[in-house]
């Protein structure tokens, strides 16, 4: 009886595997058939082109600089290798450039992407059909966050290597592109405001009150309505496939264990553990405890260093006292500027973070009800952020002037004229 039940369970799992892979293929862009996955398990070369195309479609949609689908297979394979290497998966570099081999390794790379995060959710969010006029979440904090510090370059090492005129030309080109982008966005907002004003009172939802660009196009062109209906049907099919994949996902990871078992012993296994979601909470708790312990050790070491440094510089004389007072005044001025900028913003909640895009709704004064962001609040928050960025810019400009003065002092016969103030 036990053997029959075990055989029935194995037969049910074998029957559920093609359905799980088929659901995954329908949810992914340019997903191949389950037979392609089965051939990739045995590293068949005929399965490699379809998997190269699948990885190219997935990665090009995830990246902001999405590549064109009209590229040759060789260029697509090279692009996939570069994209995966930048994400920490360099195992595809050993395969030829024509993309004719490595089907099993490509299957492992796809599984690595699936196990690394919410891959399907990100793909579905990017291909979602937008019916309303939306404003993306502000990313000022990400843009203003400092990157890696620039390496210190001596004057004699950079002489003859930097063309100042070329840098000025690039800066002028960047400013021109920025002004063109701002002008196009302002024109788009003006046209969008006209559409919202002309269609005021036409929407069935009173909380919206007006039509969006997509809804206006539906009234103007019936053919566009049929195209939109087809897009919505395709999106619904992908959503249903994603739900089915979530139900059958454990079967796929059990099958991937057999794919890993089919790899040669000398091949190193990829660094991911499918199906280990339940252990992540314990690992995060342990990591948080270790970080707190390291923070306490760092605080104790910093206090000891600070005490030793204060004892050493206590008798440096009036010059040290003047430098310390100047530093304290600079810090006080920076804090005052930040506090003033925050007070001008009114202490509003910043519209930042990974919240989805907000729908733009035109309404009369005092008539907006329900959750949402008012344009005045967003403008005030952005102005507060702008003031903070202005303070940071002034600090960076001062550092640049000091560095230019140091470089000019390294060349004896050079006369340095400081640039005019802003």
């Amino acid at each position: 009886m036990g053997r029959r039940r075990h055989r029935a369970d194995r037969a049910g799992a074998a029957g559920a595997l093609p359905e799980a892979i088929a659901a995954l293929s329908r949810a992914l862009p340019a997903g191949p058939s389950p037979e392609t996955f089965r051939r990739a398990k045995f590293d068949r070369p005929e399965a490699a082109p379809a998997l190269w195309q699948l990885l190219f479609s997935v990665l090009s949609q995830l990246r902001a600089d999405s590549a064109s689908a009209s590229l040759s297979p060789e260029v697509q394979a090279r692009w996939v290798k570069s994209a995966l290497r930048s994400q920490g998966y360099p195992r595809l570099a050993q395969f030829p450039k024509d993309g004719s081999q490595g089907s099993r390794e490509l299957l492992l790379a796809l599984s690595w992407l699936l196990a690394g995060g919410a891959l399907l959710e990100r793909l579905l969010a990017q291909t979602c059909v937008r019916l309303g006029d939306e404003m993306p979440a502000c990313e000022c904090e990400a843009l203003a966050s400092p990157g890696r510090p620039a390496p210190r370059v001596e004057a004699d090492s950079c002489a003859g290597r930097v063309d100042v005129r070329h840098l000025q030309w690039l800066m002028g080109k960047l400013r021109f592109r920025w002004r063109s982008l701002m002008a196009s966005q302002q024109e788009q907002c003006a046209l969008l405001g006209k559409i919202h004003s002309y269609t005021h009172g036409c929407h069935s939802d009173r909380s919206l009150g007006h039509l969006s660009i997509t809804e206006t196009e539906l009234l103007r062109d019936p053919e566009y309505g049929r195209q939109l209906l087809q897009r919505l049907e395709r999106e619904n099919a992908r959503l249903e496939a994603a739900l089915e994949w979530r139900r059958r996902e454990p079967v796929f990871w059990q099958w991937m264990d057999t794919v890993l078992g089919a790899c040669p012993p000398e091949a190193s296994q990829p660094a991911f553990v499918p199906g280990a979601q339940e252990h992540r909470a314990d690992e995060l708790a342990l990591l948080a405890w270790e970080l707190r312990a390291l923070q306490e050790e760092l605080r104790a070491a910093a206090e000891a260093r600070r005490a030793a440094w204060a004892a050493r510089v206590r008798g440096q004389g009036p010059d040290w006292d003047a430098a310390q007072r100047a530093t304290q005044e600079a810090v006080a001025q920076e804090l005052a500027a930040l506090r003033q900028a925050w007070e001008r913003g009114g202490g509003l909640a910043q519209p930042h973070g990974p919240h989805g895009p907000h729908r733009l709704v035109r309404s009369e004064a005092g008539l907006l009800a329900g959750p949402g962001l008012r344009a005045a609040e967003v403008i005030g928050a952005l102005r507060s952020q702008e003031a903070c960025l202005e303070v940071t810019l002034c600090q960076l400009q001062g550092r640049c002037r000091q560095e230019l003065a140091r470089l000019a002092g390294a060349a004896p016969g050079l006369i340095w004229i400081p640039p005019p103030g802003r």
Side-chain angles (χ1 to χ4, degrees), residues 391-401:
V391 175
T392 306
L393 177 61
C394 292
Q395 294 176 356
L396 293 177
Q397 287 177 343
R399 295 176 186 174
C400 289
R401 292 191 185 97

Side-chain angles (χ1 to χ4, degrees), residues 134-140 351-358 373:
E134 297 179 345
M135 179 186 68
C138 184
E139 299 177 355
C140 296
H352 305 297
H355 312 292
H358 303 277
L373 290 175

Side-chain angles (χ1 to χ4, degrees), residues 1-16:
M1 179 67 78
R3 291 182 179 179
R4 291 181 180 178
R5 183 177 302 173
H6 183 65
R7 291 176 182 176
D9 293 340
R10 291 183 58 184

Side-chain angles (χ1 to χ4, degrees), residues 48-84:
L51 291 178
W52 280 111
Q53 178 65 31
L54 173 62
L55 286 175
F56 178 79
S57 301
V58 169
L59 293 173
S60 61
Q61 289 190 15
L62 292 179
R63 294 170 66 97
D65 51 343
S66 57
S68 174
S70 60
L71 299 176
S72 62
E74 292 80 7
V75 177
Q76 290 185 7
R78 187 163 62 249
W79 190 90
V80 168
K81 292 178 183 179
S82 176
L84 287 176

Side-chain angles (χ1 to χ4, degrees), residues 228-294:
L228 181 61
L229 179 60
Q230 294 176 0
R231 291 170 56 192
L232 290 173
E233 290 175 349
R234 289 195 296 267
E235 182 181 1
N236 288 336
R238 291 189 63 184
L239 290 173
E240 292 175 357
L243 291 176
E244 184 179 357
W245 155 253
R246 287 306 179 193
R247 291 194 300 267
R248 303 178 182 274
E249 186 178 2
V251 180
F252 175 81
W253 292 120
Q254 293 174 4
W255 178 70
M256 283 303 303
D257 290 337
T258 64
V259 176
L260 289 173
C263 293
E266 64 273 6
S268 59
Q269 303 299 330
F272 70 89
V273 184
Q277 302 288 339
E278 62 275 5
H279 303 295
R280 292 185 178 179
D282 298 336
E283 294 176 358
L284 289 177
L286 178 61
L287 180 60
W289 180 83
E290 292 178 354
L291 287 177
R292 285 193 296 267
L294 290 176

